[in-house]
Amino acid sequence: MPRGLAAEATALDDGDVLRAVRKEFALDDGTVYLDGNSLGALPRTVAGRLAEVVGDEWGRLRIRSWTESGWWEAPERVGDRVGRLVGAAPGQIVVGDSTSVNVFKAVVAAVRLAGPGRDEVLVDAATFPTDGYVAASAARMTGCRIREADARDIPGEAGPRTAVALVNHVDYRSGRLHDLAGTTAAVHAAGARVVWDLCHSAGALPVALDAHGVDLAVGCTYKYLNGGPGAPAYLYVRRDLQPRFDSPLPGWNSHTDPFAMDSAYAPADGAARGRVGTPEILSLLALDAALDVWDDVALTAVRTKSLALTDFFLRCVEAYAPEGRVESITPAAHAERGSQVSLRCADGAAGVMAELIRRGVVGDFRRPDVLRFGFTPLYTGFAEALRAARVLGEVLAG
Ligand SMILES: *Cc1c(COP(=O)(O)O)cnc(C)c1O
């Protein structure tokens, strides 16, 4: 059995159309890195570009760079680059702030778009906590009540009082992929808006925001998009909603004429309306450089490889893990799987992950009993999936 899996890993790596992309990442320390769903690996172009930004644009040109180096427009320019990866035509995404802050803008703006009698904010009950905390505060501020529902039930739960549903496209804990097209259509049929959180899907699988008529979306850029620690997040506001997008954080950067320094607020047109304050230029331009690795990559190829990797890893775990020690909580059905595998390990999960990391297989642990393995198709190979499962088997047996 193991010999067969090794031959299969080699064949799968040989047939991998994305194989060349891995060379663009700094991954030379011999570890198997399966935590790119928490912090993407470093693309090699970033360090040189950042040195240039610091030395030349900041160091030499200083204030002139806001215009001469294109800093001022960077949030929308980089937003368009993210847009290509999430199915958004140019002019609908702005990069800046954290995901948490963008959840706040999106949920409050969605409530402000809602018709009369709509005072309910529906949230994915298993949401990444920050989305839930922020949605609860947004609901309190806007006179709404919050109601939790399993993300799979949101299509049936949205009703005449729902203003907005906030849903995670892929569940961060289980790796379950939710139905963006069907849920969006059902929420719309109920007369409500939907905000999608794409943190665990952007860069991991094709996302088609425009095609499915999504209202608003947010996501981070430091997971599958490899933007670096604390890289700015993004906000998508569908073009036809932009004129009515009423930001709860109308900072001066979202003013139609910021340098008029007008005491009266007048919102900018387009994606810039989602801006707040001065953009985080260094991390924004690190992200810009990091996005170069996507230039010749098709998201369909990413998805094909991602599913092959997670399928193969699950088979390897079955082959190597001692009977009954771990159980996958990631859906087996491809239509319901993101790009990670989560294994429940009832006995000593924290210690198991610590030992895996010590042996050079880096995943992460989510309390109380989940081992998470993120599969980032741009730089993870099949031999690594095999090695991770083999080491997991050794740790569990030991
Ligand atoms: C990673 C993640 C976040 C992180 O939010 P920050 O504000 O960037 O810390 C939020 N939501 C989801 C669903 C995530 O996976």
Side-chain angles (χ1 to χ4, degrees):
M1 170 80 98
R3 189 184 296 274
L5 287 171
E8 203 177 327
T10 304
L12 286 164
D13 277 326
D14 287 345
D16 174 10
V17 300
L18 295 174
R19 196 170 190 181
V21 185
R22 180 188 168 100
K23 297 191 190 71
E24 298 182 37
F25 288 87
L27 287 163
D28 313 311
D29 63 349
T31 63
V32 177
Y33 189 63
L34 301 179
D35 214 359
N37 55 338
S38 234
L39 178 66
L42 169 68
R44 293 186 196 279
T45 56
V46 173
R49 175 68 183 128
L50 261 188
E52 184 180 89
V53 170
V54 171
D56 205 45
E57 299 184 5
W58 178 14
R60 191 175 62 82
L61 291 175
R62 294 182 286 268
I63 195 80
R64 292 165 57 188
S65 275
W66 283 106
T67 48
E68 293 175 35
S69 303
W71 288 357
W72 188 264
E73 302 79 17
E76 292 80 29
R77 183 177 60 74
V78 179
D80 287 346
R81 297 191 77 190
V82 172
R84 186 183 81 76
L85 304 176
V86 294
Q92 300 174 102
I93 292 186
V94 66
V95 175
D97 309 313
S98 63
T99 304
S100 303
V101 171
N102 283 301
V103 167
F104 178 74
K105 296 178 212 168
V107 171
V108 173
V111 170
R112 289 175 175 177
L113 284 166
R118 293 188 179 269
D119 60 356
E120 176 185 87
V121 175
L122 258 185
V123 293
D124 174 348
T127 184
F128 189 97
T130 203
D131 301 52
Y133 305 155
V134 170
S137 175
R140 202 145 45 87
M141 283 178 46
T142 53
C144 289
R145 69 193 177 103
I146 200 108
R147 191 155 66 83
E148 292 184 1
D150 187 307
R152 285 169 283 180
D153 299 333
I154 282 182
E157 293 288 340
R161 290 187 65 170
T162 308
V164 56
L166 171 63
V167 199
N168 291 189
H169 194 193
V170 172
D171 186 278
Y172 76 99
R173 179 185 292 277
S174 67
R176 176 179 289 279
L177 170 65
H178 293 118
D179 175 11
L180 184 139
T183 304
T184 300
V187 170
H188 285 172
R193 304 286 176 189
V194 63
V195 177
W196 284 97
D197 185 324
L198 308 177
C199 280
H200 283 270
S201 60
L205 48 103
V207 180
L209 293 178
D210 288 350
H212 299 304
V214 167
D215 301 294
L216 299 138
V218 301
C220 66
T221 63
Y222 51 75
K223 293 172 183 164
Y224 293 89
L225 299 181
N226 314 305
Y234 55 92
L235 170 70
Y236 164 90
V237 181
R238 201 180 67 217
R239 192 182 305 281
D240 64 294
L241 295 178
Q242 288 172 348
R244 287 186 289 150
F245 177 83
D246 181 3
S247 174
L249 292 170
W252 75 294
N253 266 238
S254 69
H255 195 282
T256 186
D257 187 4
F259 290 95
M261 301 291 177
D262 201 333
S263 61
Y265 180 71
D269 290 333
R273 193 175 287 206
R275 289 171 75 151
V276 183
T278 305
E280 43 281 79
I281 291 299
L282 296 181
S283 49
L284 179 59
L285 296 183
L287 167 65
D288 191 22
L291 291 174
D292 289 352
V293 299
W294 293 95
D295 280 349
D296 300 313
V297 170
L299 267 299
T300 49
V302 170
R303 178 61 168 162
T304 301
K305 182 175 172 188
S306 157
L307 290 171
L309 274 169
T310 50
D311 275 343
F312 185 64
F313 179 68
L314 283 165
R315 284 175 49 220
C316 293
V317 169
E318 209 173 292
Y320 288 107
E323 183 76 28
R325 288 296 313 280
V326 290
E327 170 208 6
S328 173
I329 58 167
T330 298
H334 285 177
E336 297 172 9
R337 191 193 304 161
S339 198
Q340 74 183 49
V341 169
S342 299
L343 302 177
R344 175 166 289 135
C345 175
D347 190 14
V352 168
M353 184 52 72
E355 184 58 22
L356 275 173
I357 293 170
R358 209 184 60 78
R359 298 190 191 190
V361 174
V362 180
D364 63 23
F365 161 66
R366 286 291 174 267
R367 281 186 274 172
D369 57 3
V370 175
L371 306 173
R372 285 196 327 171
F373 301 92
F375 287 86
T376 42
L378 296 193
Y379 55 80
T380 303
F382 292 87
E384 291 176 296
L386 176 71
R387 186 174 140 206
R390 188 168 45 73
V391 176
L392 174 65
E394 289 164 9
V395 170
L396 290 170

